[in-house]
Amino acid sequence: PSQTLLEAAESVGVNIEYSCRTGTCGVCKITLLSGAVTMEVEDGLEPTDKEQNLILACQGRATVDVSVDA
């Protein structure tokens, strides 16, 4: 929970494309397959993105075990 999903992915060698790391550009969108996350900033997501379970890897912090398509 102390790391974002992007930080956790980087620590195990999983490459997720990103740019701003602030939640505004949307480059790091990934699909949340299961679990739940919190995000401080969601500006990079459109309403349709949220309907499709897209989250921002740079902002998403797991609140339970998660599975993502990255």
Side-chain angles (χ1 to χ4, degrees):
S2 64
Q3 291 183 317
T4 65
L5 295 177
L6 178 59
E7 292 165 340
E10 289 173 333
S11 73
V12 295
V14 174
N15 186 28
I16 296 176
E17 190 174 340
Y18 69 90
S19 182
C20 71
R21 288 189 180 257
T22 62
T24 58
C25 74
V27 171
C28 66
K29 291 178 190 175
I30 58 175
T31 304
L32 179 65
L33 300 174
S34 65
V37 299
T38 60
M39 292 183 284
E40 288 185 27
V41 179
E42 298 180 6
D43 296 346
L45 293 175
E46 298 294 328
T48 53
D49 293 333
K50 293 178 185 180
E51 291 170 6
Q52 297 172 5
N53 286 338
L54 291 175
I55 60 172
L56 299 172
C58 75
Q59 293 295 304
R61 294 181 188 273
T63 58
V64 296
D65 288 343
V66 296
S67 177
V68 298
D69 184 8

